[in-house]
Amino acid sequence: MPAAAWATIIIAALVIAVAGLGLLRVILHLRHVSQSLAALDGGVAAIVASTAPVPSRLTSVNANLKPVRDFCAGV
Protein backbone atom coordinates (compact mmCIF):
# COMPACT_ATOMS: atom_id res chain seq x y z
CA MET A 1 0.00 0.00 0.00
CA PRO A 2 1.43 3.41 -0.88
CA ALA A 3 2.46 5.90 1.77
CA ALA A 4 -0.34 8.31 0.78
CA ALA A 5 -2.94 5.67 1.66
CA TRP A 6 -1.35 5.09 5.08
CA ALA A 7 -1.23 8.82 5.71
CA THR A 8 -4.91 9.14 4.78
CA ILE A 9 -5.86 6.29 7.13
CA ILE A 10 -3.83 7.77 10.01
CA ILE A 11 -5.26 11.26 9.48
CA ALA A 12 -8.81 9.87 9.28
CA ALA A 13 -8.25 7.88 12.49
CA LEU A 14 -6.99 11.02 14.26
CA VAL A 15 -9.98 13.07 13.07
CA ILE A 16 -12.39 10.35 14.22
CA ALA A 17 -10.63 10.07 17.60
CA VAL A 18 -10.77 13.85 18.16
CA ALA A 19 -14.45 13.93 17.17
CA GLY A 20 -15.14 11.03 19.55
CA LEU A 21 -13.42 12.81 22.43
CA GLY A 22 -15.38 15.97 21.67
CA LEU A 23 -18.65 14.03 21.72
CA LEU A 24 -17.64 12.38 24.99
CA ARG A 25 -17.03 15.82 26.53
CA VAL A 26 -20.46 16.97 25.30
CA ILE A 27 -22.07 13.92 26.91
CA LEU A 28 -20.33 14.59 30.22
CA HIS A 29 -21.33 18.27 30.19
CA LEU A 30 -24.95 17.38 29.42
CA ARG A 31 -25.01 14.90 32.31
CA HIS A 32 -23.70 17.62 34.64
CA VAL A 33 -26.34 20.06 33.40
CA SER A 34 -29.04 17.43 33.86
CA GLN A 35 -27.98 16.86 37.48
CA SER A 36 -27.91 20.61 38.12
CA LEU A 37 -31.39 21.01 36.69
CA ALA A 38 -32.66 18.16 38.84
CA ALA A 39 -31.31 19.92 41.95
CA LEU A 40 -32.80 23.21 40.77
CA ASP A 41 -36.17 21.54 40.24
CA GLY A 42 -36.10 20.32 43.85
CA GLY A 43 -35.37 23.85 45.04
CA VAL A 44 -38.19 25.27 42.95
CA ALA A 45 -40.58 22.70 44.41
CA ALA A 46 -39.58 23.80 47.91
CA ILE A 47 -40.21 27.44 47.01
CA VAL A 48 -43.60 26.58 45.52
CA ALA A 49 -44.56 24.74 48.69
CA SER A 50 -43.52 27.63 50.94
CA THR A 51 -45.26 30.29 48.86
CA ALA A 52 -48.62 28.57 48.52
CA PRO A 53 -51.67 30.83 48.20
CA VAL A 54 -53.02 32.39 51.38
CA PRO A 55 -56.13 30.64 52.70
CA SER A 56 -59.63 31.99 52.30
CA ARG A 57 -59.35 33.83 55.62
CA LEU A 58 -57.63 36.60 53.73
CA THR A 59 -60.94 37.78 52.25
CA SER A 60 -62.42 38.26 55.71
CA VAL A 61 -59.28 40.11 56.83
CA ASN A 62 -59.52 42.38 53.79
CA ALA A 63 -63.18 43.02 54.56
CA ASN A 64 -62.29 43.96 58.13
CA LEU A 65 -59.55 46.31 56.97
CA LYS A 66 -61.68 48.07 54.34
CA PRO A 67 -62.47 51.05 56.63
CA VAL A 68 -58.75 51.54 57.27
CA ARG A 69 -58.00 51.40 53.54
CA ASP A 70 -60.76 53.89 52.82
CA PHE A 71 -59.43 56.25 55.50
CA CYS A 72 -55.88 56.02 54.12
CA ALA A 73 -57.14 56.70 50.60
CA GLY A 74 -58.97 59.79 51.85
CA VAL A 75 -55.87 61.22 53.53
Side-chain angles (χ1 to χ4, degrees), residues 12-54:
L14 288 174
V15 168
I16 291 171
V18 169
L21 287 175
L23 289 174
L24 183 62
R25 288 188 67 199
V26 168
I27 290 170
L28 293 176
H29 283 291
L30 287 175
R31 287 185 62 191
H32 178 71
V33 168
S34 177
Q35 292 169 355
S36 297
L37 287 175
L40 181 67
D41 188 35
V44 169
I47 291 170
V48 167
S50 67
T51 58
V54 179

